[in-house]
Amino acid sequence: MNKHLKLLKELHETLALPKSEVGAAGHFSDMDIVKHQALLMQAGSSTLKAINAGEMVDVLLGLIQLATVAVETIAALAGDVVESPVAWRHDGSVVTVMRTLSDKINQCSSGKAEDYSAVYCLCVHLTRSFINADFDKAFRLFIESKQYTDLQSLTPPKTPDLSDCLYE
């Protein structure tokens, strides 16, 4: 099991959160897909706004939020993260980042765990290669900050300071 998925599942158990209802075939209802798509789009929008502003800590926070939504959705599907290669290469253009993020988010309208995994894998890759940060540390800090809040909310009561997670 993916370590970030495991961390989220442990948090769900600790907080005794109710499990999501998933159909017999392991798929969401149409309304659940819409709900998760809205959360992904909200996190994606925050990430793109941070890229536009040029604030690397905010970009990191946006990518962590997006990855968290993807992993929480995979957990709700009772699936596992499918580690997939990321085709994005650093070409110096933020437009390619925008296109790739938007495309991966759009593909999640399928409601399949593989597509949510692709968003997660892209966030890991961009965190490490685009902004040069420690994804594991940032993810853990973000999840720890959510321990006393609603996991469906993208904004913890106090946003954690992720500046220590940036390398140079």
Side-chain angles (χ1 to χ4, degrees), residues 81-96:
V81 173
V82 177
E83 300 290 336
S84 58
V86 176
W88 183 83
R89 301 241 190 279
H90 193 355
D91 65 358
S93 172
V94 294
V95 173
T96 59

Side-chain angles (χ1 to χ4, degrees), residues 43-165:
S45 175
S46 296
T47 305
L48 295 177
K49 287 176 184 175
I51 290 171
N52 185 52
E55 294 296 325
M56 297 312 272
V57 174
D58 293 338
V59 175
L60 175 58
L61 178 61
L63 289 171
I64 296 300
Q65 289 173 334
L66 190 55
T68 302
V69 171
V71 173
E72 286 177 345
T73 305
I74 294 165
L77 284 166
D80 198 0
V81 173
V82 177
E83 300 290 336
S84 58
V86 176
W88 183 83
R89 301 241 190 279
H90 193 355
D91 65 358
S93 172
V94 294
V95 173
T96 59
V97 174
M98 177 205 65
R99 284 185 186 132
T100 306
L101 278 172
S102 298
D103 289 345
K104 294 296 182 195
I105 290 169
N106 184 49
Q107 290 171 3
C108 290
S109 63
S110 69
K112 295 180 182 176
E114 300 85 37
D115 292 326
Y116 295 104
S117 292
V119 169
Y120 164 80
C121 289
L122 178 61
C123 290
V124 172
H125 183 77
L126 290 175
T127 298
R128 292 177 179 160
S129 65
F130 178 62
I131 61 172
N132 194 25
D134 184 340
F135 180 86
D136 297 329
K137 182 177 180 181
F139 191 90
R140 184 181 40 75
L141 287 172
F142 184 75
I143 295 305
E144 287 172 358
S145 73
K146 292 179 71 122
Q147 287 192 9
Y148 302 103
T149 188
D150 176 16
L151 282 172
Q152 294 300 317
S153 169
L154 289 178
T155 308
K158 180 180 179 211
T159 304
D161 180 12
L162 301 180
S163 58
D164 287 346
C165 301

Side-chain angles (χ1 to χ4, degrees), residues 9-52:
K9 284 186 175 189
E10 289 171 356
L11 178 61
H12 285 212
E13 289 174 13
T14 301
L15 298 176
L17 295 174
K19 297 195 187 301
S20 296
E21 302 261 340
V22 178
H27 296 286
F28 285 130
S29 69
D30 288 351
M31 292 312 293
D32 284 334
I33 291 172
V34 170
K35 176 182 79 172
H36 290 284
Q37 193 70 10
L39 290 169
L40 285 170
M41 291 173 76
Q42 182 182 358
S45 175
S46 296
T47 305
L48 295 177
K49 287 176 184 175
I51 290 171
N52 185 52

